[in-house]
């Protein structure tokens, strides 16, 4: 890591200039994350204040870090992944015990080039994930979520149909692999995969499989909203989900999954909240040029608006494909999507959030969360009680009709010429 790598010397006047381009290794000017850049460059009292404003406070204090066992640290250094742990508290209540769960998010790059045999690619990803999942297990993680389509490169940009071979039934190879780990670590695992629905004519879906802590399959959720933006033309591969907005009641709390592009849809977040989710996971695959300014905002806003926790995950690295593809935007053909910027993080209903994981390295982010915070924030802010859902139900009902007319009151003076 070289913090000066984005500095260039202007040879004519000898001045040091900073490049506005991201670092080629995906780091933030040589730092793992924006948080690390600020921490390393600001005086402690300034950093503390920046931290308060950027990350918010939890129970009136800066978010606490948590310790992780030595065995997890050893796995992180042996297998070179970022490992960070935090703790969201709730106020003590008189009539309810705290409901503390430990939640983990994994972000990773692919393990071998996209030119390798598909079986080798898949096996290599399994091999890469195993020690990270074990690190979560030995750290006592109760619920763990993996990234979107974790078993494969994010090949949807190519629109080549051969990548469909990575699709698996809900009880396929990747689920079986994770079922063993779920049993071993008594952990709920959310496994987002490209699903092949054998019973419905081999239809493909973008699906999160929810594996219970006994290794059982609790259920699945299929991605509701499909991107058609930039290279993310994923509609070539799978269909809009047909599973609604299920909330899965697990041994450790009520959870839901809002897959990637669904995070741009506030009603999607709302629906999981209305069904009672306490933690919503957002396994994603998105690149810097497209969405990085949106990343720290949307999920955090959803956590605030819906009084639940959110775990946001983005994959890492630049994936280069064998055949160049175009985006239909007149720009030259290219063989990669851009840089998947990692930066996975947690948001809490009280507006606090964790720093994000590395922008360019694999990582495991762990946080304790007292689920009592969800109701405490509902009581404090009353967003549910003040929501006026009937207003919106009525508007949506009218909007869906072909003869809908927008409610616009025009200024009668609009077309009058001024004197
Ligand atoms: N996988 C996916 O839905 N990506 C869309 C890009 C984005 O939403 O940032």
């Amino acid at each position: 890591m070289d913090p000066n790598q984005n500095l260039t010397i202007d040879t004519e006047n000898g001045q040091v200039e900073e490049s506005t381009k991201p670092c080629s290794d995906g780091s933030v000017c040589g730092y793992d994350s924006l948080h690390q850049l600020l921490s390393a460059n600001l005086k402690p009292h300034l950093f503390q204040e920046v931290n308060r404003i950027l990350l918010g406070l939890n129970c009136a204090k800066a978010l606490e870090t948590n310790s992780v066992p030595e065995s997890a640290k050893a796995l992180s250094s042996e297998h070179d992944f970022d490992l960070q742990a935090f703790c969201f508290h709730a106020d003590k209540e008189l009539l309810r015990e705290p409901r503390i769960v430990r939640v983990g998010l994994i972000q990773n790059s692919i393990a071998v080039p996209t030119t390798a045999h598909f079986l080798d690619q898949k096996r290599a990803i399994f091999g890469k994930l195993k020690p990270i999942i074990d690190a979560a297990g030995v750290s006592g993680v109760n619920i763990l979520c993996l990234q979107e389509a974790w078993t494969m490169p994010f090949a949807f940009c190519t629109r080549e149909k051969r990548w469909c071979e990575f699709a698996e039934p809900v009880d396929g190879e990747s689920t079986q692999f994770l079922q063993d780990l779920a049993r071993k670590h008594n952990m709920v695992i959310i496994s987002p995969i490209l699903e092949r629905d054998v019973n419905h004519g081999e239809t493909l879906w973008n699906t999160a499989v929810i594996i219970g802590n006994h290794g059982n399959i609790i259920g699945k959720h299929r991605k509701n909203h499909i991107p058609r933006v930039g290279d993310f033309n994923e509609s070539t591969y799978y269909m809009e989900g047909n599973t609604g907005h299920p909330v899965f009641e697990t041994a450790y709390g009520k959870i839901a999954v809002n897959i990637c592009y669904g995070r741009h849809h506030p009603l999607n977040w709302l629906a999981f909240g209305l069904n009672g989710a306490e933690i919503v996971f957002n396994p994603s695959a998105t690149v810097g040029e497209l969405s990085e300014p949106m990343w720290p905002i949307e999920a955090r806003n959803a956590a605030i608006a819906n009084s639940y926790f959110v775990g946001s995950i983005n994959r890492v690295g630049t994936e280069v494909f064998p055949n160049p593809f175009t985006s239909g935007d007149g720009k030259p053909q290219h063989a990669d999507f851009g840089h998947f910027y990692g930066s996975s993080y947690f948001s809490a209903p009280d507006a606090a959030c964790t720093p994000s994981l590395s922008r360019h390295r694999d990582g495991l982010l762990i946080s304790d969360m007292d689920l009592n915070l969800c109701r405490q924030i509902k009581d404090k802010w009353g967003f549910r009680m003040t929501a006026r859902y009937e207003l919106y139900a009525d508007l949506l009902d009218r909007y869906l009709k072909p003869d809908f007319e927008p409610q616009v009151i025009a200024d009668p003076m609009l077309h009058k010429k001024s004197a």
Side-chain angles (χ1 to χ4, degrees), residues 1 23 27 35 64 70 122 137 146-148 214 253 302-303 351 374 400 405 418:
M1 225 176 32
C23 288
S27 70
H35 190 80
E64 280 176 22
E70 288 305 318
K122 204 161 154 175
L146 310 184
Q147 69 196 18
E148 183 183 21
H214 301 290
C374 301
L400 286 174
E405 296 215 358
S418 49

Side-chain angles (χ1 to χ4, degrees), residues 68-358:
V68 283
E70 288 305 318
S71 50
K73 284 188 200 158
L75 284 165
S76 93
S77 35
E78 190 188 338
H79 297 278
D80 188 26
F81 60 87
D82 189 9
L83 174 61
Q84 300 187 43
F86 298 89
C87 187
F88 291 105
H89 295 287
D91 288 333
K92 195 169 159 30
E93 297 185 18
L94 296 179
L95 301 182
R96 282 197 308 182
E97 290 300 316
R99 293 177 56 226
I100 297 166
V101 291
R102 187 161 290 177
V103 185
L105 310 175
I106 293 179
Q107 64 176 38
N108 59 280
S109 57
I110 52 174
V112 293
T114 59
T115 43
H117 191 286
F118 284 0
L119 198 57
D120 295 334
Q121 291 192 47
K122 204 161 154 175
R123 293 278 152 80
I125 294 178
F126 284 23
K128 179 179 240 223
L129 264 276
K130 169 87 173 38
I132 314 184
I133 298 173
D134 280 334
V138 298
S139 303
V141 164
N142 303 123
I143 308 173
L144 178 69
C145 186
L146 310 184
Q147 69 196 18
E148 183 183 21
W150 70 270
T151 61
M152 59 184 290
F154 212 73
F156 303 144
C157 53
T158 68
R159 305 194 295 281
E160 292 168 1
K161 290 293 185 167
R162 65 202 186 93
W163 303 100
C164 295
E165 278 202 64
F166 278 93
E168 291 177 31
V170 159
D171 58 357
E173 193 186 0
S174 64
T175 302
Q176 288 160 25
F177 166 72
L178 294 175
Q179 283 176 301
D180 286 344
L181 291 164
R183 266 189 290 268
K184 174 176 166 193
H185 297 300
N186 193 25
M187 187 159 71
V188 171
I189 303 182
I190 298 145
S191 170
I193 58 167
L194 184 63
E195 180 202 345
R196 183 175 289 285
D197 183 0
V198 186
N199 289 343
H200 290 94
E202 309 276 353
T203 305
L204 301 189
W205 307 94
N206 186 323
T207 299
V209 183
I210 318 299
I211 300 165
N213 55 314
H214 301 290
N216 52 313
I217 297 174
I218 300 178
K220 61 171 182 278
H221 173 58
R222 291 172 172 158
K223 180 171 176 175
N224 280 330
H225 300 276
I226 304 185
R228 294 164 175 86
V229 52
D231 284 328
F232 290 88
N233 279 302
E234 300 175 24
S235 54
T236 309
Y237 288 88
Y238 59 86
M239 300 306 293
E240 265 89 7
N242 60 356
T243 50
H245 295 89
V247 166
F248 303 94
E249 186 165 9
T250 72
Y252 306 115
K254 291 185 181 169
I255 63 173
V257 195
N258 179 355
I259 304 175
C260 194
Y261 182 76
R263 77 183 181 283
H264 310 299
H265 293 272
L267 291 179
N268 207 35
W269 291 109
L270 171 71
F272 294 117
L274 294 183
N275 281 329
E278 295 169 304
I279 310 169
V280 178
F281 294 93
N282 178 228
S284 298
T286 186
V287 294
E289 267 183 46
L290 181 68
S291 66
E292 202 160 6
M294 300 153 117
W295 182 251
I297 299 170
E298 290 170 302
R300 192 174 178 192
N301 182 56
I304 297 166
N306 297 291
S307 309
Y308 52 48
F309 289 91
V310 177
S312 307
I313 309 168
N314 186 21
R315 65 170 58 206
V316 177
T318 303
E319 300 175 4
V320 181
F321 291 91
N323 302 316
F325 47 89
T326 60
S327 314
D329 59 3
K331 291 197 184 143
Q333 59 176 2
H334 44 284
D336 73 79
F337 238 126
H339 178 72
F340 293 103
Y341 55 86
S343 309
S344 304
Y345 71 107
F346 284 111
S347 321
D350 63 355
C353 70
T354 64
S356 40
L357 281 180
S358 170

